[in-house]
Amino acid sequence: MAIEEVDAGSELDERSIVDPAIEIRNAKVTYDEGESYVLDDVSIDLDRNEVLGVVGESGSGKSMFASSLLDSVPDPGVLTGRITYHPRDGEPIEVLDLSKEELRELRWEEISMVFQGAMSSFNPVLKVRTHFEETLEAHDANVAEGMDFARELLSDLYLDPDRVLDAYPHELSGGMTQRALIALSMVLNPEVLVMDEPTAALDLLMQRSILQLLEDLQAKYDISLVFITHDLPLIAALADRMAIMYAFRFVEVAPTQDLVANAAHPYTRMLLNSTPNLDAPLAEMKPIEGQSPAPINLPSGCAFHPRCPLAEEQCMQSEPDYHDVSDRQGARCFRWEAAQAQILLNYEDMLEDRGTSGGDADE
Amino acid sequence: MSDDGTPVLSLEDVEVHFEDKPGLLEFGDETEVVRAVDGVSIDVMENDVVTLVGESGCGKTTLGKTAIGLQRPTGGSVKYRGHDIWDIRDGNSDADITWRDVRTSLQIIHQDPGSSLNPNRRIQTILAEPLKQVRPDLGRTEKRERILSLLERVGMNPAPDFADRYPHQLSGGEQQRVALSRALLMNPDVILADEAISAVDVSLRVEMMDLMLELQAEFDTSFIFISHDLSNARYFTAHADGQIGVMYLGELAEIGPAEEIVNSPKHPYTNVLRWATPDLSLQQTGEIPMRKIDVPDPVDPPSGCRFHTRCPEAREACQTEHPPTYSDDRHHVACFRENEDHDYWESPKLTD
Ligand SMILES: Nc1ncnc2c1ncn2[C@@H]1O[C@H](COP(=O)(O)OP(=O)(O)OP(=O)(O)O)[C@@H](O)[C@H]1O
Ligand code: SF4
Ligand code: SF4
Ligand SMILES: [Mg+2]
């Protein structure tokens, strides 16, 4: 059964993604020898040069997904499955077969990460400059050239390179620290950048500004970006594609436009309706009742059924496969057509107007 | 109390300056002054909601704390039902209100509920504390009953089970409900909710705001709500027909009814906050509508209009003169662009 299911999911990607930077197949993480999974049979491709948004509630397994990409799930977790990294030139690399040393090289040079709570990843007693130099040295890179590139990255991020490099981490504001860290993660010119809630501790204006800068950086340096967050609207303007995580799996994957206009999974539709935004009518924002499940005590059948208004007998009995909504959109739900028809999006009127009425209320 | 049109809280020209001792490595012994709040006037009416939005470090929390008497202003006045609270505190007031009444009437819930709840006390004990203060006449069983019914009311069921837990056995959202309950048990006139929903998942924020709105009506309280997120500010404030105040570097840039601030912002900075607020229209939002990303140091705020170093509309006139507040009914804006005849329009644009 598991095989069939996964095939359905990855088939979608295999058809639509020609040049993946990373292929993830059947990735599973367990902490209790397979009694329960905190990442459960996840398959997806990261397209080269795409921005993939991974969205889910707290505890849904987002960080497990991120750390799986570099075979670095926290001990004593066990990761199985297949993670294949495709360098731009050269042979594909099986990440889970690498030695510790090979992994260390892959990290930062090819796949770089900015983790949740990353502010603390700067050592408070070292100047920012030292962090850059040590990283370059650890990867046998030319330090002088690397520091020139660091300066360029810092300027790209609207920072004054000399001031920032000469500062100690505590002398920088939260937003500056976060941008310096992004520059550091890119200093070896990686192919893939994975960011796990990198901006959650910052105010919205700084978050938005950083996303805008990331968009520019992504285009300038041709990187593939995985951006992980619980805030769907926040990355809607940045992500090319989104993968929605619920109870340790992806329940829906789709290009962002399709997801926002035609989400097919009830959870996605309810998530879209639960978030206040500036344009939706006030009365119609609805929270999702109930709580997302813990890895033990996962509900039978579709894990969303206790919270799903469309749940039927079959949802409690068996687990839904991916259903193709289109060539590039899939949802793990038996009743996705009913979901589209019956769970109305509270900004639907606004979608219809799109194209005629434009952007900001400005001027 | 009767609604005679006297605001519950009235802030007039409030100023809060902090003296910051120079660091070891800095020269000279001049103390630096952080101008956290400058010249802010706001009224909070009965059953009102006043929301403060702005970037981190713009003075929202300091202003909120000053409004509820947790911070003494260095200038201006804070009045509770018409009486200066610091005169009451200093015994210089003829009002028949005690400092204790003031402190009880003005409550706070914090951003991080976990750290404000005593980890060694059960929820029951945490909530009995305020009841002991305001209703010393209640017996044990009556107290327990009140607590249980309030826990039920805030959606923590089964209440007896939750009452016997310790804070660490609750989720962030549940801890926040306990913090809200504790504030409500004081029977306050105003609750300051400082980023009270920021720590919970996006999908749960609406639920928390709905709860606060329902309780506001039930318990007859006003809220000062602090948020850096304009869409949450709009949701909470518009439902209560309140006002949103936009703060920039310690000053009020604009204040007015929620929908007006959101749908027809007048101050360029409010526009920037609007740009920063994600929506699902997926329109390419384009360039950051500001000349600089980082906020200037509040120790040495820019001359003239404090926003002039980042404002996309700034002109030379903005560097020297401080803009007055232009008012139109309930909508107040501190920007020269509100005055058609101002020299601003003749002066050259700032471009750096
Ligand atoms: N070291 C660990 N040992 C056992 N279980 C763990 C460990 N770390 C995380 N988990 C569990 O794995 C599940 C997924 O956690 P994960 O950190 O991936 O969630 P998340 O979606 O990133 O959440 P958040 O939004 O809170 O960061 C959760 O149920 C969590 O309790
Ligand atoms: S499979 Fe059933 S329970 Fe699961 S999301 Fe679809 S309708 Fe709801
Ligand atoms: S007064 Fe000038 S600098 Fe200030 S907000 Fe208005 S246009 Fe911008
Ligand atoms: Mg996480």
Side-chain angles (χ1 to χ4, degrees):
Chain A
M1 186 199 105
I3 300 299
E4 239 173 48
E5 220 170 86
V6 164
D7 281 345
S10 48
E11 237 174 52
L12 189 78
D13 278 358
E14 270 157 22
R15 267 185 274 125
S16 56
I17 291 185
V18 223
D19 179 21
I22 308 184
E23 283 174 87
I24 298 112
R25 291 292 174 275
N26 306 61
K28 287 182 165 204
V29 176
T30 181
Y31 278 90
D32 47 17
E33 291 161 351
E35 287 286 306
S36 65
Y37 288 93
V38 294
L39 189 69
D40 195 358
D41 223 346
V42 163
S43 298
I44 195 168
D45 286 357
L46 175 65
D47 202 356
R48 203 173 297 283
N49 295 347
E50 85 168 327
V51 180
L52 176 69
V54 173
V55 177
E57 281 169 88
S58 183
S60 60
K62 304 185 295 292
S63 298
M64 289 296 161
F65 173 74
S67 45
S68 296
L69 298 179
L70 274 176
D71 195 11
S72 57
V73 300
D75 286 336
V78 178
L79 166 66
T80 55
R82 186 162 66 79
I83 315 261
T84 313
Y85 169 64
H86 298 269
R88 205 174 277 271
D89 329 287
E91 292 302 300
I93 295 170
E94 289 304 328
V95 176
L96 303 195
D97 295 343
L98 296 181
S99 69
K100 272 222 156 68
E101 178 55 26
E102 289 167 326
L103 256 182
R104 196 189 65 83
E105 282 172 22
L106 184 77
R107 172 155 191 203
W108 236 306
E109 293 172 32
E110 304 291 334
I111 305 176
S112 203
M113 302 235 176
V114 180
F115 281 112
Q116 199 165 20
M119 305 292 196
S120 53
S121 43
F122 275 124
N123 181 338
V125 302
L126 298 180
K127 284 192 172 175
V128 173
R129 175 191 308 282
T130 317
H131 292 85
F132 278 87
E133 288 170 349
E134 285 185 350
T135 304
L136 290 163
E137 281 160 15
H139 290 263
D140 298 320
N142 180 315
V143 175
E145 280 172 25
M147 290 309 288
D148 285 341
F149 185 46
R151 280 200 192 80
E152 182 177 345
L153 287 168
L154 291 167
S155 317
D156 288 338
L157 287 156
Y158 279 49
L159 290 166
D160 173 349
D162 293 314
R163 216 197 115 200
V164 169
L165 289 170
D166 278 329
Y168 286 97
H170 73 266
E171 295 172 316
L172 304 177
S173 72
M176 290 174 162
T177 311
Q178 194 53 274
R179 275 137 67 208
L181 210 56
I182 291 171
L184 181 61
S185 71
M186 285 184 63
V187 75
L188 292 160
N189 207 359
E191 191 67 19
V192 178
L193 190 56
V194 181
M195 319 194 80
D196 186 2
E197 302 265 17
T199 60
L202 303 172
D203 68 63
L204 200 52
L205 179 50
M206 185 52 77
Q207 290 186 33
R208 213 37 212 92
S209 303
I210 290 181
L211 286 187
Q212 184 66 47
L213 295 173
L214 276 174
E215 189 167 352
D216 301 344
L217 284 181
Q218 193 255 345
K220 181 168 172 189
Y221 299 106
D222 284 335
I223 46 176
S224 314
L225 189 65
V226 181
F227 196 102
I228 297 178
T229 179
H230 64 127
D231 193 340
L232 195 162
L234 181 69
I235 51 159
L238 175 72
D240 301 309
R241 227 159 42 109
M242 292 214 206
I244 309 294
M245 194 159 237
Y246 187 79
F248 324 110
R249 309 184 138 206
F250 289 131
V251 294
E252 180 157 16
V253 179
T256 305
Q257 274 89 340
D258 301 348
L259 190 107
V260 169
N262 292 309
H265 197 282
Y267 176 66
T268 314
R269 295 184 77 84
M270 291 164 76
L271 195 62
L272 286 163
N273 279 345
S274 74
T275 326
N277 72 62
L278 289 182
D279 301 298
L282 257 192
E284 292 174 19
M285 285 161 219
K286 291 195 195 72
I288 308 179
E289 304 284 330
Q291 279 183 336
S292 50
I296 33 161
N297 300 328
L298 212 58
S300 64
C302 170
F304 190 56
H305 87 250
R307 301 170 81 184
C308 181
L310 299 177
E312 284 181 339
E313 198 54 37
Q314 91 173 306
C315 309
M316 296 167 215
Q317 310 299 340
S318 47
E319 243 182 270
D321 283 350
Y322 265 111
H323 292 256
D324 281 7
V325 178
S326 76
D327 280 356
R328 296 211 58 190
Q329 180 175 11
R332 275 182 192 275
C333 171
F334 297 119
R335 309 201 58 209
W336 63 271
E337 282 155 313
Q340 287 185 329
Q342 291 173 34
I343 302 174
L344 298 183
L345 296 172
N346 61 24
Y347 51 88
E348 226 140 84
D349 299 345
M350 197 180 98
L351 288 174
E352 280 161 23
D353 299 345
R354 195 195 290 164
T356 49
S357 75
D360 284 327
D362 189 11
E363 252 96 50
Chain B
M1 278 183 214
S2 66
D3 189 0
D4 58 359
T6 312
V8 185
L9 275 179
S10 181
L11 279 66
E12 244 180 75
D13 208 14
V14 165
E15 171 205 285
V16 187
H17 291 178
F18 295 110
E19 283 192 4
D20 202 11
K21 298 261 155 32
L24 279 176
L25 298 172
E26 283 158 76
F27 296 104
D29 40 17
E30 251 175 75
T31 45
E32 292 188 321
V33 176
V34 180
R35 304 161 74 108
V37 176
D38 259 323
V40 173
S41 303
I42 294 182
D43 286 344
V44 181
M45 310 302 288
E46 303 262 6
N47 286 317
D48 198 3
V49 166
V50 173
T51 296
L52 302 172
V53 297
E55 278 162 284
S56 69
C58 71
K60 305 184 293 287
T61 297
T62 309
L63 180 60
K65 285 188 170 168
T66 309
I68 63 163
L70 288 178
Q71 170 71 47
R72 189 167 189 146
T74 49
S77 67
V78 178
K79 289 186 176 135
Y80 170 70
R81 300 195 182 284
H83 305 282
D84 188 305
I85 62 172
W86 294 99
D87 283 347
I88 297 176
R89 167 65 202 265
D90 297 341
N92 297 334
S93 175
D94 47 15
D96 55 355
I97 301 173
T98 66
W99 175 244
R100 202 192 158 109
D101 296 336
V102 175
R103 293 293 322 116
T104 311
S105 308
L106 309 175
Q107 292 292 320
I108 181 170
I109 49 180
H110 296 276
Q111 169 162 14
D112 174 13
S115 65
S116 72
L117 302 174
N118 185 333
N120 305 317
R121 293 269 149 79
R122 291 178 198 276
I123 304 308
Q124 159 76 28
T125 321
I126 290 173
L127 293 179
E129 208 73 44
L131 265 186
K132 237 183 264 167
Q133 272 187 57
V134 280
R135 294 294 307 274
D137 54 309
L138 291 184
R140 264 181 85 105
T141 6
E142 281 170 301
K143 261 195 237 131
R144 170 100 181 157
E145 269 166 23
R146 282 217 166 196
I147 288 168
L148 293 183
S149 80
L150 186 59
L151 284 176
E152 254 165 45
R153 182 64 197 84
V154 299
M156 294 178 62
N157 291 304
D161 171 39
F162 278 109
D164 290 335
R165 293 199 202 173
Y166 290 95
H168 74 266
Q169 296 170 312
L170 304 180
S171 75
E174 287 160 354
Q175 290 176 352
Q176 203 52 285
R177 285 157 202 260
V178 172
L180 179 62
S181 304
R182 183 177 56 181
L184 285 169
L185 284 169
M186 301 298 275
N187 222 347
D189 290 320
V190 180
I191 296 177
L192 170 65
D194 188 358
E195 299 282 7
I197 58 162
S198 306
V200 298
D201 252 27
V202 167
S203 51
L204 300 176
R205 289 181 189 166
V206 166
E207 200 177 342
M208 191 69 203
M209 288 191 282
D210 283 344
L211 179 65
M212 284 167 43
L213 287 165
E214 284 166 26
L215 293 172
Q216 184 210 10
E218 252 167 69
F219 286 74
D220 257 347
T221 38
S222 301
F223 274 99
I224 300 175
F225 183 77
I226 293 181
S227 174
H228 60 81
D229 181 330
L230 201 55
S231 53
N232 289 325
R234 173 205 180 211
Y235 186 83
F236 192 70
T237 319
H239 271 292
D241 192 23
Q243 304 179 77
I244 296 180
V246 178
M247 285 192 78
Y248 186 74
L249 276 182
E251 299 180 327
L252 267 184
E254 177 167 13
I255 184 166
E259 294 286 15
E260 262 184 60
I261 295 292
V262 167
N263 296 321
S264 33
K266 293 186 172 169
H267 197 284
Y269 182 63
T270 313
N271 241 329
V272 170
L273 293 184
R274 222 200 113 93
W275 169 85
T277 311
D279 66 16
L280 295 165
S281 66
L282 301 178
Q283 259 124 16
Q284 283 310 312
T285 41
E287 294 278 291
I288 300 165
M290 258 190 321
R291 289 165 26 245
K292 294 200 172 57
I293 289 187
D294 295 294
V295 200
D297 193 345
V299 170
D300 188 17
S303 60
C305 172
R306 290 187 180 178
F307 191 43
H308 87 251
T309 54
R310 298 163 88 199
C311 178
E313 309 289 354
R315 300 184 180 220
E316 275 178 16
C318 309
Q319 288 177 305
T320 45
E321 201 187 329
H322 187 270
T325 302
Y326 300 94
S327 301
D328 170 9
D329 196 18
R330 288 174 72 201
H331 198 151
H332 312 276
V333 188
C335 170
F336 296 127
R337 295 169 64 82
E338 292 307 300
N339 178 356
E340 284 172 19
D341 303 323
H342 196 272
D343 294 346
Y344 164 88
W345 299 104
E346 308 304 326
S347 76
K349 275 207 144 200
L350 295 180
T351 48
D352 72 316

